[in-house]
Short mmCIF file of all heavy atoms in Angstrom, two decimals:
data_model
loop_
_atom_site.label_atom_id
_atom_site.label_comp_id
_atom_site.label_asym_id
_atom_site.label_seq_id
_atom_site.Cartn_x
_atom_site.Cartn_y
_atom_site.Cartn_z
N LEU A 15 -72.76 -3.38 100.27
CA LEU A 15 -71.95 -2.14 100.27
C LEU A 15 -71.81 -1.58 101.68
O LEU A 15 -72.82 -1.48 102.41
CB LEU A 15 -72.63 -1.17 99.35
CG LEU A 15 -71.84 0.15 99.01
CD1 LEU A 15 -70.56 -0.20 98.30
CD2 LEU A 15 -72.73 1.03 98.07
N SER A 30 -56.53 8.70 103.32
CA SER A 30 -57.48 8.73 102.27
C SER A 30 -58.31 7.47 102.24
O SER A 30 -57.99 6.52 102.99
CB SER A 30 -56.77 8.88 100.90
OG SER A 30 -55.66 8.02 100.80
N PHE A 40 -60.61 -11.07 91.75
CA PHE A 40 -59.49 -11.89 91.46
C PHE A 40 -59.72 -13.35 91.83
O PHE A 40 -58.88 -14.20 91.52
CB PHE A 40 -58.25 -11.41 92.18
CG PHE A 40 -57.82 -9.99 91.71
CD1 PHE A 40 -57.70 -8.96 92.66
CD2 PHE A 40 -57.46 -9.75 90.47
CE1 PHE A 40 -57.33 -7.70 92.27
CE2 PHE A 40 -56.99 -8.52 90.03
CZ PHE A 40 -56.93 -7.52 90.95
N PRO A 42 -61.24 -17.00 91.46
CA PRO A 42 -61.96 -17.84 90.49
C PRO A 42 -63.26 -18.28 90.98
O PRO A 42 -63.42 -18.83 92.07
CB PRO A 42 -60.94 -19.02 90.28
CG PRO A 42 -59.61 -18.47 90.71
CD PRO A 42 -59.94 -17.53 91.86
N PRO A 48 -69.47 -23.67 98.26
CA PRO A 48 -69.33 -24.25 99.62
C PRO A 48 -68.40 -25.39 99.76
O PRO A 48 -67.87 -25.67 100.80
CB PRO A 48 -70.76 -24.69 99.95
CG PRO A 48 -71.65 -23.81 99.17
CD PRO A 48 -70.89 -23.59 97.87
N LEU A 53 -67.27 -18.89 102.63
CA LEU A 53 -67.64 -17.56 102.19
C LEU A 53 -68.82 -17.61 101.16
O LEU A 53 -69.59 -16.69 101.01
CB LEU A 53 -66.45 -16.81 101.63
CG LEU A 53 -65.28 -16.58 102.60
CD1 LEU A 53 -64.08 -16.02 101.78
CD2 LEU A 53 -65.70 -15.60 103.67
N ALA A 54 -68.82 -18.71 100.42
CA ALA A 54 -69.84 -18.87 99.35
C ALA A 54 -71.20 -19.10 99.97
O ALA A 54 -72.22 -19.01 99.27
CB ALA A 54 -69.47 -20.01 98.44
N ILE A 82 -60.86 11.07 98.70
CA ILE A 82 -61.48 9.90 98.11
C ILE A 82 -60.65 9.54 96.83
O ILE A 82 -60.38 10.43 96.02
CB ILE A 82 -62.91 10.17 97.64
CG1 ILE A 82 -63.79 10.76 98.80
CG2 ILE A 82 -63.56 8.97 97.05
CD1 ILE A 82 -63.96 9.83 99.91
N ALA A 98 -62.14 12.70 82.49
CA ALA A 98 -61.84 14.13 82.81
C ALA A 98 -63.08 14.79 83.48
O ALA A 98 -63.02 15.48 84.48
CB ALA A 98 -61.38 14.89 81.62
N ASN A 123 -61.13 -7.54 83.38
CA ASN A 123 -62.09 -6.45 83.33
C ASN A 123 -62.36 -5.86 81.95
O ASN A 123 -63.16 -4.96 81.81
CB ASN A 123 -61.63 -5.33 84.28
CG ASN A 123 -61.76 -5.77 85.71
OD1 ASN A 123 -62.72 -6.20 86.21
ND2 ASN A 123 -60.61 -5.58 86.43
N GLU A 150 -56.80 21.62 81.07
CA GLU A 150 -55.94 22.79 81.14
C GLU A 150 -56.08 23.75 79.90
O GLU A 150 -55.63 24.86 80.01
CB GLU A 150 -54.43 22.37 81.21
CG GLU A 150 -54.21 21.54 82.50
CD GLU A 150 -52.86 20.86 82.49
OE1 GLU A 150 -52.15 20.95 81.44
OE2 GLU A 150 -52.53 20.18 83.45
N PHE A 157 -57.34 17.18 68.76
CA PHE A 157 -56.26 16.20 69.03
C PHE A 157 -56.45 14.97 68.12
O PHE A 157 -57.58 14.46 68.02
CB PHE A 157 -56.33 15.76 70.48
CG PHE A 157 -55.34 14.68 70.84
CD1 PHE A 157 -54.01 14.90 71.00
CD2 PHE A 157 -55.79 13.36 71.01
CE1 PHE A 157 -53.07 13.92 71.31
CE2 PHE A 157 -54.90 12.38 71.34
CZ PHE A 157 -53.58 12.62 71.52
N ALA A 167 -63.35 19.85 70.85
CA ALA A 167 -63.86 19.29 72.13
C ALA A 167 -63.57 20.35 73.23
O ALA A 167 -62.46 20.88 73.25
CB ALA A 167 -63.24 17.99 72.41
N THR A 194 -45.50 7.63 85.11
CA THR A 194 -45.89 8.08 86.48
C THR A 194 -45.10 9.33 86.86
O THR A 194 -45.57 10.35 87.33
CB THR A 194 -45.66 6.97 87.53
OG1 THR A 194 -46.49 5.84 87.16
CG2 THR A 194 -46.05 7.47 88.94
N ASP A 211 -36.90 -3.57 95.95
CA ASP A 211 -37.61 -3.44 94.72
C ASP A 211 -38.45 -2.15 94.72
O ASP A 211 -38.55 -1.42 93.73
CB ASP A 211 -38.51 -4.65 94.43
CG ASP A 211 -39.09 -4.66 93.06
OD1 ASP A 211 -38.45 -4.12 92.16
OD2 ASP A 211 -40.25 -5.15 92.93
N ALA A 226 -38.65 15.63 83.72
CA ALA A 226 -39.78 16.36 83.24
C ALA A 226 -39.92 17.75 83.86
O ALA A 226 -40.92 18.45 83.57
CB ALA A 226 -41.09 15.52 83.44
N THR A 234 -46.58 11.37 95.89
CA THR A 234 -46.85 10.56 97.11
C THR A 234 -46.61 9.06 96.86
O THR A 234 -47.30 8.46 96.02
CB THR A 234 -48.30 10.75 97.59
OG1 THR A 234 -48.55 12.10 97.88
CG2 THR A 234 -48.54 9.92 98.90
N ILE A 240 -50.54 -6.78 100.26
CA ILE A 240 -51.15 -8.10 100.60
C ILE A 240 -50.36 -8.68 101.79
O ILE A 240 -49.14 -8.64 101.83
CB ILE A 240 -51.12 -9.07 99.41
CG1 ILE A 240 -52.05 -8.48 98.26
CG2 ILE A 240 -51.53 -10.45 99.81
CD1 ILE A 240 -51.98 -9.34 96.99
N GLU A 251 -53.16 -22.68 108.67
CA GLU A 251 -54.49 -23.01 108.19
C GLU A 251 -54.94 -22.15 107.01
O GLU A 251 -55.52 -22.65 106.08
CB GLU A 251 -55.51 -22.86 109.33
CG GLU A 251 -56.92 -23.39 108.96
CD GLU A 251 -57.84 -23.43 110.17
OE1 GLU A 251 -57.40 -23.30 111.30
OE2 GLU A 251 -59.07 -23.61 109.92
N PHE A 302 -53.89 -26.35 90.00
CA PHE A 302 -53.05 -25.22 90.40
C PHE A 302 -52.78 -25.28 91.91
O PHE A 302 -51.68 -25.11 92.36
CB PHE A 302 -53.73 -23.93 89.96
CG PHE A 302 -53.19 -22.73 90.67
CD1 PHE A 302 -52.08 -22.05 90.22
CD2 PHE A 302 -53.80 -22.21 91.85
CE1 PHE A 302 -51.53 -20.96 90.87
CE2 PHE A 302 -53.34 -21.10 92.46
CZ PHE A 302 -52.20 -20.49 91.98
N PRO A 316 -45.80 -10.20 103.52
CA PRO A 316 -45.70 -10.19 104.98
C PRO A 316 -46.72 -11.11 105.61
O PRO A 316 -47.90 -11.12 105.25
CB PRO A 316 -46.00 -8.70 105.35
CG PRO A 316 -45.68 -7.92 104.11
CD PRO A 316 -46.02 -8.88 102.96
N MET A 335 -41.98 4.61 101.17
CA MET A 335 -43.45 4.54 101.11
C MET A 335 -44.05 5.39 102.24
O MET A 335 -43.50 5.39 103.36
CB MET A 335 -43.89 3.08 101.23
CG MET A 335 -45.39 2.89 101.27
SD MET A 335 -46.13 3.04 102.91
CE MET A 335 -45.55 1.49 103.67
N LYS A 339 -52.09 0.59 102.48
CA LYS A 339 -53.34 -0.17 102.76
C LYS A 339 -52.98 -1.60 102.89
O LYS A 339 -52.39 -2.19 101.90
CB LYS A 339 -54.37 0.05 101.71
CG LYS A 339 -55.62 -0.78 101.94
CD LYS A 339 -56.38 -0.38 103.22
CE LYS A 339 -57.47 -1.36 103.55
NZ LYS A 339 -57.00 -2.46 104.49
N SER A 345 -58.37 -13.31 105.39
CA SER A 345 -59.81 -13.30 105.47
C SER A 345 -60.46 -14.17 104.41
O SER A 345 -61.60 -14.60 104.54
CB SER A 345 -60.32 -11.83 105.27
OG SER A 345 -59.97 -11.32 104.04
N VAL A 370 -42.71 3.63 113.09
CA VAL A 370 -42.21 4.73 112.25
C VAL A 370 -42.41 6.11 112.82
O VAL A 370 -41.89 7.11 112.32
CB VAL A 370 -42.84 4.67 110.81
CG1 VAL A 370 -42.57 3.33 110.15
CG2 VAL A 370 -44.29 5.02 110.85
#
Side-chain angles (χ1 to χ4, degrees):
L15 192 58
S30 45
F40 294 121
L53 296 173
I82 307 296
N123 292 307
E150 298 167 0
F157 175 76
T194 301
D211 186 33
T234 302
I240 292 174
E251 188 171 347
F302 164 83
M335 181 272 289
K339 174 66 190 89
S345 62
V370 303

